[in-house]
Amino acid sequence: QGPVVESGGASVQTGGSLRLSCEAPGYGNHCMGWFRAVQEREREAIATIDTTGSTTYVDSVKGRFTISRDNAKNMVYLQMNDLKFEDSGLYYCAPPVPCDPTTWYGIRGSWGQGTQVTVSS
């Protein structure tokens, strides 16, 4: 697998939307997830999508964020709607172990550079 590359982060106002993209070559047969790091807090997983397209979200983003994938393009996406101040952070994509944002303890491969999301009023 090649390195993952995240993009799409930006500065937006509360209530706005963003779509993050992750180029993930060679990960078509792996669960993929989106994670975020907020200041000094530990990196947290927020959404996962397995190889069948089944998705799981943490409660803080459920109903607002949607993870999707296009294996033909080696891409994973995160559509973020109704953004809140607390959604600000550096967002990463990676294959989590296991495929669950509430129980993950590691990732396969290495972290990418991430993409910054800043939400302000």
Side-chain angles (χ1 to χ4, degrees):
Q1 295 93 354
V4 297
V5 179
E6 302 92 347
S7 63
S11 295
V12 295
Q13 292 187 324
T14 54
S17 298
L18 279 176
R19 187 194 196 204
L20 305 184
S21 298
C22 170
E23 184 175 353
Y27 285 107
N29 292 325
H30 291 81
C31 169
M32 292 297 292
W34 280 97
F35 305 75
R36 66 185 175 195
V38 182
Q39 296 181 331
E40 293 79 20
R41 286 166 49 188
E42 289 188 2
R43 190 179 279 128
E44 61 171 342
I46 56 174
T48 58
I49 182 167
D50 69 14
T51 56
T52 70
S54 180
T55 58
T56 307
Y57 302 90
V58 295
D59 288 345
S60 61
V61 306
K62 199 172 295 182
R64 300 187 298 122
F65 291 11
T66 303
I67 187 172
S68 60
R69 67 192 304 165
D70 184 338
N71 287 339
K73 297 181 179 179
N74 295 315
M75 297 295 293
V76 182
Y77 304 100
L78 185 69
Q79 177 66 43
M80 305 188 295
N81 297 327
D82 190 22
L83 282 161
K84 303 178 180 181
F85 175 78
E86 52 265 37
D87 294 320
S88 297
L90 193 57
Y91 283 69
Y92 304 85
C93 74
V97 178
C99 189
D100 189 316
T102 62
T103 61
W104 76 289
Y105 59 80
I107 64 167
R108 303 180 190 277
S110 304
W111 294 105
Q113 295 298 306
T115 186
Q116 179 69 40
V117 173
T118 303
V119 185
S120 59
S121 57

